[in-house]
Amino acid sequence: MKVLEGGVTAAKGFEAASCEANIKYKDRTDMAAVYSQVPCVCAGTFTSNVVKAACVMWDKEIVESGNPMQAVIVNSGIANACTGKEGFDACEATAKAVEKSLGVPFKSVAVASTGVIGMQLPVDKLVAGVEKMSKTLDGSIAAGTAASKAIMTTDTVNKEIAVSFEIGGKTVTLGGMSKGSGMIHPNMCTMLAFLTSDVAIEKALLQEAVSSVVKDTFNMITVDGDTSTNDTLLLMANGLAENKKIDTKDGDYETFKEALSYVCEFLAKKMAADGEGASKLFEAKVINAKTKDDARLLSRSIVGSNLSKAAIYGCDANFGRFLCAMGYSGADFDQNNVELFFESANGKLKVFDKGTPIEFDEDEALKIMQADAVTVFVNMNEGSEEATAWGCDLTYDYVKINADYRS
Amino acid sequence: MKVLEGGVTAAKGFEAASCEANIKYKDRTDMAAVYSQVPCVCAGTFTSNVVKAACVMWDKEIVESGNPMQAVIVNSGIANACTGKEGFDACEATAKAVEKSLGVPFKSVAVASTGVIGMQLPVDKLVAGVEKMSKTLDGSIAAGTAASKAIMTTDTVNKEIAVSFEIGGKTVTLGGMSKGSGMIHPNMCTMLAFLTSDVAIEKALLQEAVSSVVKDTFNMITVDGDTSTNDTLLLMANGLAENKKIDTKDGDYETFKEALSYVCEFLAKKMAADGEGASKLFEAKVINAKTKDDARLLSRSIVGSNLSKAAIYGCDANFGRFLCAMGYSGADFDQNNVELFFESANGKLKVFDKGTPIEFDEDEALKIMQADAVTVFVNMNEGSEEATAWGCDLTYDYVKINADYRS
């Protein structure tokens, strides 16, 4: 597997565009389009929030219907959630504008939104944006990068990646872009991810690969239930790599899944590190847990705790907070089996040993905690399952961003 | 029912003391004792965290054994959690010091701690503190107030209350003190509450009253599972009011339960409003929910969301965040039935009406949100159950307090 430059336009036959539609932001791009020259099989995962945005309901219908997908239109600034029938009509109007401009059936056009909840989208601006973008679609790396910037809200960096790999002598490419993150700002800052590939694969297997990979990547930066109204991941695969179609779980399927896992983990970690106001990446790795579910619960609970996050920000090796978060995670365990370490590029230090705190050198702990990425490493000593979760620290800037996000 | 001055010493036969034990804090009191002149029946509720502090295990044993309780010794500064056998030994040493000084069997002495997790308590200082306090126990209001101050950690005000009421012609008194809060600083800042009464009541009924009242008071500022390693509520009743002993669920029981509910709600709200860094009380009231559990889940999810809390701090009527928090609460509902209002001493404003946002006057919304106590009022229109939860806003100071709590 090779890591390439670019993102959604890296795979054969994919184009992208972006524009200033002035939906809510001024003087920046706020709409993006991803388009495949030929119809694609598609897979997706969506928010589990009971309150689903209009666009989520729209996309879910396409993915579940088995219709091909050929384009995705995304806007930033307004989320189109809690907007009733008018919100759903805005999705349809956008998709119909794509049908008119590009000749793609409107039931093959996905839409996604991120931003303020409870405000209606200006349909005229959306339609004008689609018309503009339909004239500038382009398969270059730059066009993909520009699209990844147009979907940002409070993100401080754009997020994209592409990889290539061999399947039966053919080069297959998989790329993607994402914005936001889940865990870090638990329920508002929507996580959107759009992946594109020229792999030839059956729809059911594509969905199975996506659902499986998401569990250990994107979902490990989002605590169950703590999901936005808009969270959406879509993968379009157009088959232009001309590999023998993957239609069973053979080695080719595993090769594809491995690449997908790499791309998703890369984007997930990048989102975690770019959490609102974040100053560092905060990772929790739990090994030797009784069950896989326990390992996931424990690691997510650690990175999700406000007090853990504040301690990581303050470079405070206050390991009790991490144990406390494990204690209310829902997983059952005996604290007398637990070993807890702090780890970073600057070293590794054991601070808790099977029920008893260890006296440690505060200067050494401080050095470890001051790194850009800090890991809490926990050995449960009760089984053989492991999981890793990613988050970020809790800072003054988080409060600042969210106290006046809407205005 | 009459509200009285004072707290834990208001009821007949109860005394309190406090002292500077220098356990971790300097130049302030950090130990407190509550003592009854005669043995008490007792009831308690404890943290559901898998990682329980040594003192929680100690007290649970006393409450469950059916032993009488006659004294509680509390320290602030160090939590005695994650401290292994040495931590449990510290509880026993403290209780034995009370036996030696006051002649109370050590198995009738409860202990409670709050502060940093993972540090051992200095037993010599605890024992010296007990000796000092045993000479200064005093039934005055001032002694109770001083005790309520000694148990504070990051609290900015002490919390106490007392009430009296009639049972069969006898005046019964119930008082209490508490510190910290649950929801507001979800997993660290321990909630401790100590209640004293001269009521004569059977142990089983006392426990039943406590367990029932806690659900709609203290637990509504603590999301399930998001509990500290140390959360403890203890109620001691010594029978000195000489009322006919409450031994069945009659009118007397209801009278007592009503007073208990008043006292617990008062202390719970006071803790919520004094959340770390808080600038205002944030209340969520949910009515007409399908089930009582749904009403509790929904209201707690609203006050527990970081983004809701940041919006309350910023006086931002960003109602989508509250709907989003409801959506991931675990309760099932249809957003097309929901009506949402902002309410405070400055007015009431509807902002969301059965699936559709309402255009509202931003100045009016701002005025409502600027009050010291703000309520999000939600009519689910799906049943007849209701619940209220309390929290506070998320501020810069929260981050500041928790980034360097340990040091």
Side-chain angles (χ1 to χ4, degrees):
Chain A
M1 197 178 67
K2 269 200 313 203
V3 176
L4 311 175
E5 267 193 277
V8 286
T9 54
K12 271 186 206 154
F14 285 96
E15 301 176 354
S18 49
C19 75
E20 295 187 15
N22 290 310
I23 286 167
K24 183 156 184 296
Y25 297 118
K26 304 286 166 215
D27 303 319
R28 56 156 279 189
T29 56
D30 57 353
M31 271 188 90
V34 180
Y35 169 75
S36 169
Q37 290 157 356
V38 297
C40 302
V41 293
C42 63
T45 58
F46 302 96
T47 181
S48 59
N49 197 307
V50 170
V51 178
K52 288 178 175 41
C55 43
V56 168
M57 295 188 273
W58 178 267
D59 293 352
K60 234 172 147 247
E61 213 174 287
I62 298 178
V63 170
E64 286 167 7
S65 72
N67 274 1
M69 190 177 284
Q70 201 168 348
V72 185
I73 305 296
V74 192
N75 78 276
S76 52
I78 294 179
N80 196 11
C82 305
T83 47
K85 187 180 177 302
E86 192 178 334
F88 202 77
D89 291 347
C91 300
E92 188 168 306
T94 307
K96 286 194 164 162
V98 174
E99 177 170 294
K100 200 175 152 201
S101 299
L102 295 169
V104 172
F106 78 96
K107 289 279 187 188
S108 294
V109 180
V111 293
S113 297
T114 174
V116 177
I117 304 180
M119 254 174 111
Q120 299 292 355
L121 278 166
V123 174
D124 52 338
K125 289 182 178 175
L126 285 173
V127 170
V130 168
E131 283 166 5
K132 230 187 281 183
M133 292 191 295
S134 66
K135 291 169 194 148
T136 56
L137 280 167
D138 173 355
S140 68
I141 287 176
T145 301
S148 72
K149 288 179 179 168
I151 65 173
M152 290 162 61
T153 54
T154 49
D155 305 63
T156 63
V157 293
N158 65 319
K159 298 156 188 89
E160 60 173 350
I161 185 175
V163 299
S164 71
F165 47 97
E166 300 282 309
I167 291 190
K170 302 286 185 181
T171 298
V172 177
T173 302
L174 169 70
M177 65 181 182
S178 68
K179 62 82 50 184
S181 72
M183 189 58 228
I184 297 135
H185 7 129
N187 40 32
M188 169 71 186
C189 185
T190 292
M191 185 204 89
L192 297 179
F194 306 101
L195 309 178
T196 54
S197 179
D198 45 24
V199 69
I201 187 169
E202 281 212 342
K203 183 180 166 68
L205 284 175
L206 186 65
Q207 183 66 52
E208 198 171 331
V210 165
S211 298
S212 154
V213 163
V214 157
K215 270 191 204 158
D216 282 312
T217 56
F218 289 112
N219 281 0
M220 292 308 285
I221 58 163
T222 310
V223 162
D224 279 355
D226 262 9
T227 48
S228 132
T229 51
N230 288 52
D231 287 350
T232 299
L233 178 147
L234 293 171
L235 197 166
M236 296 195 283
N238 64 15
L240 294 180
E242 297 184 329
N243 58 295
K244 181 176 159 290
K245 192 177 193 172
I246 302 174
D247 57 6
T248 178
K249 286 192 193 171
D250 55 8
D252 292 351
Y253 174 80
E254 291 305 324
T255 302
F256 172 71
K257 204 174 137 182
E258 196 183 311
L260 182 61
S261 185
Y262 182 88
V263 164
C264 290
E265 182 173 323
F266 176 90
L267 292 172
K269 282 171 78 166
K270 194 129 185 187
M271 288 194 285
D274 193 27
E276 285 169 355
S279 77
K280 60 178 77 173
L281 179 68
F282 170 23
E283 180 178 88
K285 178 156 193 173
V286 170
I287 67 164
N288 297 326
K290 264 185 262 181
T291 68
K292 187 79 181 168
D293 276 352
D294 279 355
R296 288 184 181 130
L297 282 173
L298 289 162
S299 55
R300 281 195 300 222
S301 190
I302 293 170
V303 297
S305 150
N306 272 0
L307 282 156
S308 295
K309 290 161 59 128
I312 293 289
Y313 173 56
C315 296
D316 180 1
N318 195 340
F319 64 88
R321 294 188 179 174
F322 306 96
L323 281 163
C324 182
M326 291 165 59
Y328 66 70
S329 68
D332 190 34
F333 65 92
D334 183 346
Q335 59 172 301
N336 295 316
N337 294 325
V338 174
E339 294 171 278
L340 194 144
F341 306 74
F342 289 106
E343 189 176 8
S344 77
N346 300 338
K348 184 169 181 173
L349 183 67
K350 194 183 210 177
V351 292
F352 187 74
D353 186 33
K354 303 191 175 178
T356 310
I358 295 176
E359 298 238 354
F360 57 82
D361 180 345
E362 290 281 352
D363 289 340
E364 198 187 337
L366 184 65
K367 206 181 99 199
I368 290 170
M369 307 278 295
Q370 279 171 336
D372 283 345
V374 176
T375 300
V376 170
F377 183 94
V378 186
N379 188 341
M380 304 299 294
N381 290 304
E382 295 190 339
S384 58
E385 294 293 341
E386 62 178 70
T388 305
W390 300 279
C392 65
D393 51 351
L394 176 64
T395 68
Y396 299 118
D397 281 348
Y398 174 86
V399 179
K400 187 165 174 6
I401 291 166
N402 284 301
D404 54 9
Y405 176 81
R406 200 181 52 130
S407 32
Chain B
M1 197 178 67
K2 270 200 313 204
V3 176
L4 311 175
E5 268 193 277
V8 286
T9 53
K12 270 186 206 151
F14 284 98
E15 301 176 354
S18 51
C19 73
E20 294 188 15
N22 291 309
I23 286 167
K24 183 158 185 295
Y25 297 119
K26 303 286 168 216
D27 301 321
R28 55 156 280 192
T29 56
D30 57 353
M31 270 189 91
V34 180
Y35 169 74
S36 169
Q37 291 158 355
V38 296
C40 302
V41 293
C42 63
T45 59
F46 302 96
T47 181
S48 59
N49 198 307
V50 170
V51 179
K52 287 178 179 37
C55 42
V56 168
M57 296 188 272
W58 178 267
D59 293 351
K60 235 173 143 280
E61 216 173 286
I62 298 178
V63 170
E64 287 167 5
S65 71
N67 274 0
M69 189 177 283
Q70 200 168 344
V72 185
I73 305 296
V74 193
N75 78 276
S76 53
I78 294 179
N80 196 11
C82 305
T83 47
K85 185 177 178 303
E86 192 178 335
F88 202 78
D89 291 345
C91 299
E92 189 169 304
T94 308
K96 287 197 164 161
V98 175
E99 177 171 296
K100 200 175 152 199
S101 299
L102 294 169
V104 171
F106 78 97
K107 288 280 186 188
S108 293
V109 179
V111 293
S113 298
T114 174
V116 177
I117 303 181
M119 255 174 109
Q120 299 292 355
L121 278 167
V123 174
D124 50 337
K125 290 183 178 176
L126 285 173
V127 170
V130 167
E131 283 166 6
K132 229 188 282 184
M133 291 192 294
S134 66
K135 290 171 194 147
T136 56
L137 280 168
D138 173 357
S140 67
I141 289 178
T145 303
S148 73
K149 288 179 178 167
I151 64 174
M152 289 163 63
T153 54
T154 51
D155 305 64
T156 64
V157 292
N158 66 316
K159 298 158 188 89
E160 59 173 349
I161 185 174
V163 299
S164 71
F165 46 97
E166 300 281 310
I167 290 189
K170 302 285 184 180
T171 299
V172 177
T173 302
L174 170 70
M177 64 181 184
S178 68
K179 64 79 52 183
S181 73
M183 189 60 226
I184 298 136
H185 8 128
N187 40 30
M188 169 69 187
C189 184
T190 292
M191 185 204 89
L192 297 180
F194 306 102
L195 309 179
T196 54
S197 180
D198 45 25
V199 70
I201 187 168
E202 280 213 342
K203 182 179 166 72
L205 284 174
L206 186 67
Q207 183 66 52
E208 199 172 332
V210 165
S211 298
S212 155
V213 163
V214 157
K215 271 192 201 157
D216 282 312
T217 56
F218 289 112
N219 282 359
M220 292 309 284
I221 58 164
T222 309
V223 162
D224 279 354
D226 261 10
T227 48
S228 132
T229 49
N230 288 53
D231 288 349
T232 299
L233 177 146
L234 293 173
L235 196 166
M236 294 196 282
N238 63 16
L240 293 182
E242 298 186 330
N243 59 294
K244 184 178 155 287
K245 193 175 193 175
I246 302 174
D247 57 5
T248 177
K249 286 193 191 169
D250 54 10
D252 292 350
Y253 175 80
E254 290 307 324
T255 302
F256 173 71
K257 206 174 137 182
E258 197 184 309
L260 182 61
S261 186
Y262 182 88
V263 163
C264 290
E265 182 174 323
F266 176 90
L267 292 172
K269 284 172 78 166
K270 193 127 187 192
M271 285 194 286
D274 192 28
E276 283 168 356
S279 77
K280 60 179 77 173
L281 178 69
F282 170 24
E283 179 178 90
K285 179 157 191 168
V286 171
I287 66 166
N288 296 326
K290 263 185 263 179
T291 68
K292 186 78 182 169
D293 276 352
D294 279 356
R296 288 185 182 131
L297 282 171
L298 290 161
S299 54
R300 279 194 299 220
S301 190
I302 292 171
V303 299
S305 151
N306 271 0
L307 283 155
S308 296
K309 289 162 59 128
I312 292 290
Y313 174 55
C315 296
D316 182 0
N318 196 341
F319 64 89
R321 293 189 181 174
F322 305 95
L323 281 161
C324 182
M326 289 164 59
Y328 67 68
S329 67
D332 190 34
F333 64 92
D334 184 347
Q335 59 173 298
N336 295 317
N337 294 326
V338 174
E339 295 170 278
L340 194 144
F341 305 74
F342 289 106
E343 190 177 6
S344 77
N346 300 338
K348 184 170 182 174
L349 184 68
K350 195 183 208 177
V351 293
F352 187 74
D353 186 31
K354 301 187 175 180
T356 311
I358 295 176
E359 299 237 354
F360 58 82
D361 180 345
E362 290 280 354
D363 289 340
E364 196 186 339
L366 185 64
K367 205 179 100 201
I368 290 170
M369 308 275 297
Q370 280 171 337
D372 283 344
V374 176
T375 300
V376 170
F377 183 95
V378 186
N379 188 341
M380 304 301 293
N381 289 303
E382 292 190 341
S384 59
E385 294 292 343
E386 62 179 70
T388 305
W390 300 279
C392 65
D393 51 351
L394 177 64
T395 68
Y396 298 119
D397 281 347
Y398 174 86
V399 179
K400 187 164 176 354
I401 291 166
N402 285 301
D404 54 8
Y405 175 81
R406 199 181 52 128
S407 30

